[in-house]
Every structure is written in structure tokens, then in C-alpha cells.
């Protein structure tokens, strides 16, 4: 294996640390589901080269694995040790702060440290390709800026100048000689600010997300690490970006569930950003049109600073919101249409005015095609489109084969589609001069999902839809529901009132933010019973353990309590045993979905 060489280490070894470099035993973690670290002896020729943060190749269970050095020791452990086979890096790929951050991820999200380090090291960077960049020195910031570790919750009421606020904060960080990290839930969300930043800062911008090719990730990672990139924009995994002089973190739309990783470690990028801001002592901005209940709760308690901004200039009015009561609608006629009378009439009016309509369905499935067929029968002259496929222009709603999602959206934006049907992905594309109507086909499929966050999801959806139609002369949102009096629907545009009602609901049921949750999925039934017994035997006072069936996914254990630190330690310690390797155990701390 060829050793990768980086032109500039993340952090120079401090003076006086020579004795550390002479230690003979390395503490190594590997990227496998094993909790503990392993000690390895250093061959004489490696003395002084193996330091914390570098990767090494080590013998492990009859094979050779790449591991991460997380510590050194002068004292020989009381076990037989094997030697490190090879050093991969000539300088650390993780500095001390990043080792602390990944250790926190490991502890909090109940996963092996090696897997947390693996998640923080992008796949493209694992290429065995040597590439160098001239490092750009960053000026030292004023001492007082290093201690400005404030968390600001930016509630962008009705759009509220969010991008402008971000740009001002980024410019301030750059003036201090620092770097800025900006996270967005999806690639499509940051195109607007990316264009603005590229216009102002040109080559000083770096991006990091899952759509990049491996060599592109490698290129951007090195630019961040060398200091050549001053502003990093990315999605969830960019929270681990190797910035040498971090001065600001921004998490846009912090309530978006896409910030939650589904694979191990199942971290939430917002929570990792909070911990990183604390460790690096830098300010953190959490932005949202409809903040998460947890973040607003922290702001109400004074732990975060709350800033509510409305759009500058003339105040834009919310669109008209009309509720179609499906109870009354379906009791008055025998044939049940997916579209209520109010929605059908409004679509007809839009078509006469030459305006566009978006029909939102909460999930894909057989119901999608049924809705498309119904809309085609009701409006035979309309040009229809579905997220992922499109329909040809003409008098008949005929399918246009092979048209991809991006092409469908392009057709809609160019006015070639009159009625667009889609799921959550379509909502971020809302906009354009001709769009004037959004129909929520069934709000109840969201409200009845069996998740305590259902009302919050509904409110966030309606807020996003309403903001997309701000200031439209004929803008209207029609919500079809069997529950027209639900507070998540009635309080659209009034987040404080929604928060008051929702937080009281959470208080009564003892759900977050008043408690924390851990969700454990396990496939093997015998292992499930064994784990239940272990958790019950070590259960802290005030902690509930709720076992249940999870259908095809196996068995489920929900742990609920105000402080679950003790239970996390039990889970980490128990699951480090190899006897659980084949049980199919998946741990999700602070689950977004249940």
C-alpha cells in the first residue's frame, strides 16, 4: 500500500511533545462493529512517525485492516501485542479536536469509535492517489472571537431575509481570517447561496456532498484541509469537514429530517454541529422557516438566542388557506373522488387564467397513479406532470416515457406543465410566476402516521408551501382533511401559537423535548429477549423500556427517559461483545422516525 502524503499537517506537533513521539505502543480503533480500541507495538523504524490521527494497517482477526491511531502509551499493556504493519499517512488526517468530536459521536450515538471515524472520513479521500495543494495561511483572528460560542436560532418568518443574514455572518467570519461551514439538507437547497458566494469569493469556495465523484471529494477535502477553501458548503456529512481555522457554522433548515443519518452511526448533523461549535468555541447559527420544537424549546429556556426576522421592505401576505372538510365532502355524494369539489373548481379557475397547480401527495404508491388517472379524466386538456416522469403536451394525458425528475421540473418551470403531481421532493421546487395553487390531497396521511412528531411535520409542510406562494395575487393553498380543526392546520403562519399547543401535547405524553428516546431494532428474537433482560436489570430510575413488534423489520425496543446517559453506556458496553454480531441490532439515538 502506498503511503498518502499531505503537504501540510492538520496541526503541528507542539514543542515538548517529543517524549510522546518516542512512546512504543499505539492505541488503534478499526472501522468494524467492535467497541474497544486495541494496542499495537511500534516497530523501531516507525518510532516518531506514528502519532494520533494517522491511519495504519494492522493485523486483525487473521486479516489486515486500516485503523486509526487515537493515542500512544509508554507502558506496555499486560497482553501479547502484534506490531503495526504499515503507516498509511505521513501526517495526521484527524487533529485533536476531530478525534474528540468523533469520540463524542461514538459515545452519544452508541457506535464503535472506528465507525464514527470512518463516517468522518469521506469515501473519495480513501483513494490511494497523491495530490498536493499549496496551503494558504490564514491570519490569526482576534482572541475574543475564539470564545464567541453562541448558538443563534434564526427564525426566518415568511422567508425573513435568511440568505442575506447568512452572507453577512460569513463575511464577518472571513474578515476575522476564519473559515465558515454552511450545511444544507439537500444539494438543491444551496444552489442560490452557492452562486452568490462564488460571485464574491470565486475559488475560495468548496463543496462537499454525496453526489461528488471520488476524485472530486478528494480534491475538495484537500482544499479544506490546506486552508485554500475559506467557505465550505455541503450536506449532512460535511459537518466533519477538515477545516483548519473554523470560525462559524451555519445549519440551514435545521428541522429537516434529512440531517439524520440512517446508517451507523445514526448521527444528526445538527447535534454534531452543536458539539463541534462547543469544542471549537465558535458561533453556530440554526436557521429555519419553522424551527424544530427541540430548538425552539432551548431558545425559550435561554440556552439559544432567538432571532426572528421578517422580509425587508413591503410585507408579503400569506396565500389564502382553504380547508376542504372531507367528512362533509364524501357524505354528500356516492362516488368518491380524490379531489374535493373546492379543489376541482380552483384547478379549473387556474387553467382558465393560464396558471399552474401543484398537487402534493405524502408518499408514492398505487394511490399516485390513481390520482393521475383521475386528474387526467377531470382535466383532459391539461398538461400533466409527475415527479420523476412527465406527460406529453397535448389534449390527452399520455405518458412521456423516459423523462426524468429534473426534466419534469424544467418543463414545469418553463410553463410546459399545467398540473404537477408529486411528493415531498417537489415542494422544494415550488416557485415561478405562474404557480398560484397548491393542493394537499390528504393531510391525514401525515397526521396519522403514528409518530409523536406528526403535527410538527404537518406544520412544517404547510409553512413551506405557504412561503412558496408569498405575495401571489391569486395564491391559494387547499388542504383536504378529515380533521379540519387540528391546530397544525389552523395555526399556519403563527409559529408561536403552534409551538404552545404542540409543546403542551408533548409535555402531557412525556415526549421530547421533555425526554430523550433511543430506538433499538433487533432481528433475532432470542437476542431481543436477552437484551430486554439486560436493559431492565440496568435500568435507571425514571427510564421506561417499551418492547414491541416491528413487523418485517423484527423486534423493537424504545427507551424513554429524561437522562439516558446511563442507558447509552449499558448499550455500548453490551453491544461491544461479539455475541451480538449476528443478531441484526441497530441503535438509533434521538430517532426522527419511529
Amino acid at each position: 500500500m502506498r503511503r498518502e502524503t499531505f503537504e501540510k499537517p492538520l496541526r503541528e506537533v507542539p514543542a515538548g511533545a517529543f517524549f510522546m513521539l518516542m512512546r512504543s505502543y499505539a492505541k488503534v480503533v478499526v472501522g468494524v462493529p467492535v467497541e474497544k480500541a486495541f494496542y499495537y507495538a511500534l516497530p523501531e523504524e516507525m518510532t516518531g512517525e506514528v502519532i494520533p490521527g494517522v491511519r495504519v494497517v494492522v493485523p486483525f482477526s487473521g486479516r489486515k485492516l486500516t485503523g486509526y491511531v487515537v493515542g500512544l502509551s509508554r507502558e506496555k499493556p499486560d497482553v501479547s501485542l502484534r506490531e503495526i504493519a504499515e503507516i498509511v499517512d505521513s501526517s495526521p488526517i484527524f487533529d485533536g479536536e476531530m478525534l474528540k468530536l468523533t469520540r463524542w459521536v461514538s459515545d452519544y450515538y452508541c457506535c464503535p469509535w472506528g465507525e464514527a471515524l470512518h463516517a468522518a472520513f469521506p469515501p473519495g479521500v480513501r483513494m490511494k492517489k497523491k495530490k498536493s495543494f499549496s496551503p494558504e495561511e490564514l491570519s490569526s483572528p482576534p482572541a475574543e472571537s475564539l470564545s464567541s460560542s453562541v448558538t443563534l436560532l434564526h427564525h426566518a418568518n415568511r422567508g425573513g431575509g435568511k440568505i442575506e443574514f447568512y452572507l453577512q455572518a460569513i463575511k464577518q467570519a472571513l474578515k476575522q481570517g476564519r473559515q465558515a461551514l454552511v450545511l444544507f439538507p439537500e444539494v438543491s437547497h444551496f444552489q442560490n447561496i452557492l452562486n452568490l458566494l462564488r460571485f464574491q469569493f470565486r475559488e475560495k469556495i468548496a463543496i462537499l456532498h454525496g453526489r461528488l465523484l471520488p476524485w472530486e471529494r478528494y480534491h475538495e477535502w484537500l482544499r479544506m484541509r490546506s486552508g485554500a477553501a475559506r467557505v465550505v458548503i455541503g450536506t449532512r456529512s460535511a459537518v466533519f469537514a477538515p477545516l483548519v481555522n473554523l470560525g462559524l457554522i451555519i445549519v440551514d433548515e435545521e428541522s429537516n429530517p434529512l440531517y439524520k443519518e440512517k446508517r451507523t452511526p445514526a448521527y444528526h448533523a445538527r447535534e454534531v454541529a452543536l458539539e463541534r461549535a462547543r469544542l471549537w468555541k465558535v458561533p453556530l447559527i440554526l436557521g429555519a422557516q419553522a424551527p424544530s420544537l427541540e430548538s425552539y424549546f432551548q431558545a425559550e429556556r435561554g440556552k439559544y438566542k432567538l432571532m426572528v426576522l421578517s422580509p425587508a421592505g413591503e410585507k408579503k401576505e400569506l396565500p389564502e388557506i382553504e380547508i376542504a372538510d372531507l367528512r362533509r365532502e364524501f357524505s354528500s355524494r356516492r362516488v368518491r373522488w380524490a379531489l374535493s369539489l373546492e379543489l376541482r373548481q380552483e384547478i379549473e379557475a387556474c387553467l382558465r387564467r393560464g396558471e399552474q397547480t401543484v398537487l402534493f401527495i405524502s408518499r408514492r404508491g398505487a394511490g399516485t397513479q390513481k390520482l393521475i388517472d383521475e386528474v387526467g379524466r377531470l382535466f383532459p386538456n391539461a398538461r400533466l406532470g409527475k415527479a420523476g416522469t412527465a406527460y406529453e403536451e397535448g389534449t390527452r394525458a399520455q405518458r412521456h416515457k423516459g423523462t426524468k425528475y429534473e426534466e419534469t421540473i424544467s418543463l414545469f418551470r418553463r410553463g410546459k406543465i399545467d398540473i404537477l403531481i408529486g411528493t415531498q421532493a417537489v415542494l422544494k421546487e415550488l416557485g415561478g410566476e405562474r404557480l398560484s395553487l397548491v393542493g394537499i390531497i390528504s393531510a391525514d396521511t401525515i397526521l396519522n402516521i403514528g409518530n409523536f412528531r406528526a403535527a410538527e411535520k404537518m406544520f412544517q409542510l404547510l409553512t413551506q408551501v405557504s412561503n412558496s406562494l408569498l405575495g401571489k395575487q391569486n395564491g391559494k393553498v387547499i388542504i383536504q382533511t378529515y380533521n379540519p380543526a387540528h391546530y397544525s392546520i389552523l395555526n399556519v403562519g403563527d409559529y408561536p401559537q403552534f409551538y404552545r399547543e404542540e409543546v403542551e401535547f408533548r409535555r402531557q405524553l412525556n415526549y421530547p423535548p421533555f425526554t430523550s428516546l433511543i430506538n433499538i431494532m433487533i432481528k433475532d428474537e432470542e437476542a431481543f429477549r436477552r437484551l430486554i433482560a439486560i436493559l431492565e436489570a440496568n435500568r435507571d430510575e425514571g427510564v421506561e423500556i417499551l418492547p414491541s413488534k416491528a413487523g418485517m423489520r423484527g423486534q423493537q425496543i424504545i427507551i424513554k427517559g429524561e437522562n439516558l446517559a446511563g442507558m447509552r453506556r449499558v448499550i455500548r458496553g453490551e453491544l461491544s461483545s461479539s455475541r451480538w454480531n449476528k443478531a441484526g441490532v441497530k441503535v438509533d439515538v434521538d430517532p426522527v422516525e419511529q
Side-chain angles (χ1 to χ4, degrees):
M1 181 182 294
R2 184 169 61 186
R3 183 180 304 180
E4 294 185 18
T5 302
F6 299 110
E7 294 300 315
K8 181 182 177 181
L10 284 174
R11 189 175 296 275
E12 298 293 334
V13 178
F18 178 77
F19 78 96
M20 182 182 294
L21 301 181
M22 297 302 295
R23 293 175 181 176
S24 302
Y25 307 101
K27 187 178 181 181
V28 178
V29 296
V30 291
V32 296
V34 177
E35 172 64 24
K36 67 177 183 178
F38 298 88
Y39 281 94
Y40 287 87
L42 273 63
E44 187 176 345
E45 64 272 15
M46 292 185 185
T47 301
E49 294 185 28
V50 175
I51 57 178
V54 301
R55 290 174 297 169
V56 292
V57 177
V58 295
F60 188 88
S61 298
R63 50 185 173 153
K64 288 188 176 181
L65 296 179
T66 299
Y68 306 88
V69 178
V70 296
L72 297 169
S73 175
R74 297 180 65 182
E75 297 182 5
K76 182 181 182 301
D78 191 21
V79 292
S80 177
L81 297 182
R82 287 175 289 181
E83 290 187 341
I84 290 175
E86 186 179 349
I87 306 174
V88 179
D89 310 303
S90 61
S91 61
I93 58 170
F94 293 118
D95 62 8
E97 285 87 352
M98 190 58 73
L99 288 175
K100 290 179 183 177
L101 181 65
T102 52
R103 176 74 261 190
W104 177 86
V105 170
S106 169
D107 291 343
Y108 189 81
Y109 290 102
C110 302
C111 72
W113 193 359
E115 292 191 345
L117 287 164
H118 198 69
F121 198 44
V125 183
R126 297 186 185 100
M127 296 168 56
K128 302 301 179 289
K129 178 179 179 181
K130 188 181 294 186
K131 193 161 186 174
S132 62
F133 290 86
S134 299
E136 182 173 337
E137 293 295 335
L138 302 180
S139 59
S140 298
E144 61 269 21
S145 69
L146 292 172
S147 61
S148 56
S149 52
V150 62
T151 299
L152 176 67
L153 178 60
H154 178 269
H155 181 195
N157 186 31
R158 303 189 184 186
K162 185 173 61 172
I163 297 299
E164 292 80 3
F165 181 76
Y166 292 167
L167 288 173
Q168 291 177 9
I170 292 169
K171 288 178 181 178
Q172 183 63 31
L174 298 189
K175 281 182 181 178
Q176 296 174 347
R178 310 299 294 271
Q179 294 166 292
L181 172 61
V182 189
L183 302 182
F184 288 86
E186 289 186 89
V187 175
S188 58
H189 286 204
F190 61 64
Q191 197 58 51
N192 187 22
I193 192 171
L194 181 60
N195 292 335
L196 291 172
L197 288 170
R198 277 179 169 163
F199 177 76
Q200 296 187 47
F201 305 112
R202 301 183 186 279
E203 73 281 353
K204 299 185 186 300
I205 309 300
I207 58 175
L208 191 62
H209 55 77
R211 296 186 188 179
L212 295 178
L213 296 173
W215 70 267
E216 292 175 314
R217 276 176 168 258
Y218 185 76
H219 178 276
E220 295 293 74
W221 191 88
L222 284 176
R223 291 183 63 238
M224 298 171 206
R225 189 178 184 279
S226 70
R230 298 293 187 91
V231 182
V232 174
I233 297 179
T235 51
R236 179 178 58 233
S237 61
V239 72
F240 298 108
L243 299 177
V244 295
N245 201 354
L246 182 62
L248 171 69
I249 303 175
I250 298 174
V251 181
D252 183 57
E253 292 304 323
E254 55 86 24
S255 57
N256 195 303
L258 290 176
Y259 281 122
K260 180 69 169 175
E261 175 62 70
K262 294 182 179 180
R263 298 167 297 183
T264 302
Y267 66 88
H268 196 298
R270 179 191 62 215
E271 302 306 310
V272 178
L274 281 162
E275 181 64 15
R276 186 168 189 181
R278 186 189 70 81
L279 289 172
W280 271 255
K281 296 182 174 60
V282 299
L284 169 66
I285 298 173
L286 302 175
Q289 298 180 57
S292 65
L293 205 78
E294 288 85 350
S295 293
Y296 204 84
F297 181 75
Q298 296 298 338
E300 191 179 53
R301 296 174 65 192
K303 290 194 173 182
Y304 300 168
K305 288 187 177 181
L306 178 64
M307 175 181 287
V308 181
L309 289 182
S310 297
E314 184 180 354
K315 185 177 180 180
K316 294 182 179 180
E317 294 298 326
L318 286 170
E320 179 185 352
I321 297 177
E322 183 176 331
I323 300 174
D325 188 346
L326 295 182
R327 298 172 302 177
R328 185 178 64 249
E329 174 78 18
F330 290 147
S331 65
S332 62
R333 53 189 171 94
R334 292 182 180 179
V335 179
R336 292 194 173 188
W337 296 91
L339 305 183
S340 62
L341 179 62
E342 294 97 320
L343 185 52
R344 295 202 308 273
Q345 290 175 341
E346 196 59 42
I347 292 174
E348 289 173 354
C350 282
L351 292 173
R352 287 195 300 269
R353 295 192 301 263
E355 296 172 348
Q356 293 173 302
T357 297
V358 168
L359 299 179
F360 170 77
I361 49 179
S362 62
R363 57 187 177 187
R364 296 184 295 271
T368 306
Q369 189 58 50
K370 183 179 178 181
L371 175 63
I372 291 169
D373 294 340
E374 178 177 316
V375 173
R377 289 194 300 270
L378 290 171
F379 309 103
N381 295 321
R383 299 167 297 181
L384 309 185
K386 186 183 78 170
T389 60
Y391 290 77
E392 292 179 336
E393 297 179 43
T395 58
R396 304 287 298 177
Q398 296 178 343
R399 187 166 183 171
H400 181 41
K401 296 181 180 179
T403 305
K404 296 181 180 179
Y405 170 80
E406 291 80 4
E407 295 171 354
T408 305
I409 296 301
S410 177
L411 288 172
F412 182 74
R413 288 175 172 169
R414 289 186 283 124
K416 302 296 184 181
I417 292 176
D418 299 315
I419 303 174
L420 180 63
I421 301 169
T423 55
Q424 191 84 26
V426 175
L427 295 180
K428 64 178 180 290
E429 310 292 351
L430 295 182
E433 294 298 323
R434 292 182 54 205
L435 176 63
S436 64
L437 174 65
V438 177
I440 310 296
I441 299 302
S442 177
D444 304 289
T445 55
I446 298 175
L447 292 174
N448 298 333
I449 58 176
N451 188 319
F452 71 92
R453 300 184 193 274
E456 184 178 16
K457 289 176 181 289
M458 187 74 253
F459 183 85
Q460 290 168 352
L461 167 68
L462 296 178
T463 299
Q464 182 180 0
V465 169
S466 299
N467 285 346
S468 70
L469 296 176
L470 282 174
K472 297 272 187 178
Q473 183 177 359
N474 298 313
K476 179 178 281 192
V477 179
I478 296 181
I479 305 167
Q480 298 188 157
T481 178
Y482 288 96
N483 194 0
H486 197 279
Y487 59 89
S488 66
I489 297 174
L490 295 179
N491 291 318
V492 176
D494 187 354
Y495 182 86
Q497 180 58 33
F498 164 77
Y499 170 81
R500 285 189 287 271
E501 296 195 45
E502 176 66 6
V503 82
E504 181 57 32
F505 165 76
R506 302 276 187 95
R507 189 194 310 274
Q508 291 176 6
L509 295 182
N510 201 29
Y511 272 118
F514 302 100
T515 57
S516 297
L517 297 176
I518 299 176
N519 186 24
I520 302 176
M521 301 298 300
I522 185 166
K523 293 181 179 179
D524 185 80
E525 191 164 345
E526 182 182 346
F528 168 74
R529 290 193 295 267
R530 188 166 69 244
L531 185 56
I532 285 287
I534 293 169
L535 293 173
E536 286 287 359
N538 293 276
R539 180 167 60 89
D540 296 327
E541 185 178 353
V543 172
E544 297 179 71
I545 298 175
L546 309 170
S548 67
K549 288 277 187 181
M552 297 293 291
R553 295 181 297 168
Q555 318 292 324
Q556 182 179 31
I557 304 171
I558 296 176
I559 305 174
K560 182 166 71 168
E562 290 187 22
N563 186 349
L564 298 183
M567 298 307 294
R568 288 199 301 270
R569 284 193 295 271
V570 172
I571 293 169
R572 283 199 316 273
E574 183 59 34
L575 296 185
S576 64
S577 171
S578 60
R579 64 176 176 163
W580 299 97
N581 289 352
K582 296 182 180 180
V585 181
K586 181 175 175 57
V587 180
D588 188 1
V589 177
D590 299 334
V592 172
E593 306 289 347
Q594 283 182 267

